Amino acid sequence: MIPLFFLVVCAEGLVAFLLMVKIGPLRELVIKGLDQVKMRRATVLTIAGTIFVILLSNLFSILKIQNKGAKHGTMTPMDQVLWRTNLLEATLMGFSLFLGFLIDRMHHYMRKLIKLRSNTGVSKQEVEMLEKEKLQLKEKEEKAAGEVKRLQKEMSSLTENLNKLRSESAEKDKKVETAEAHVAALQKQAADLLLEYDRLLEDNQNLQTQVLGHRN
């Protein structure tokens, strides 16, 4: 029993050491191996329970031998050998259970740490994507601002042209009005001249009639 538990304690110590110290891919292999072991959790708990029962039995034997030696005042050589054997076995089993619990907790927190690191990696990727999208939005915003400025310039230019056309149209309207007034004046003058011409023709005919009357 003692050599077996000694090998178990050495193996558990090696596993705990590999979990604490990263040596190449050995830590990942140990973690994967512990994952496989934890898949058979019922078997592991049964073994741990058996060791714990044996530990209690050894402790009971140690107390029994000590009480026997106290009654007789001394322990026989056989009792001394049994006491030391039981004490060594109890020590190895207790240390084995302690290392097993320690390895279980280390494995549990290692898994949590790996999960947190993977989540952190995903979070970093999300942050990088958000920053990239932010830069793209900023570029689009700058392009939109440049387009707005260009449109504002075009609008101001079109407004200037419209105002210019309006002023030119107003000037043309004034010229048209002036021309229309001038035409109206000319038409009136022509009408007056026609009336005067008709009057002169009438006077001329009257004179001709008078001249013919005198000759006769």
Side-chain angles (χ1 to χ4, degrees), residues 168-182:
E168 290 178 356
S169 177
E171 290 177 359
K172 287 180 179 179
D173 289 340
K174 286 181 180 179
K175 288 180 179 180
V176 168
E177 289 176 359
T178 304
E180 287 178 350
H182 185 61

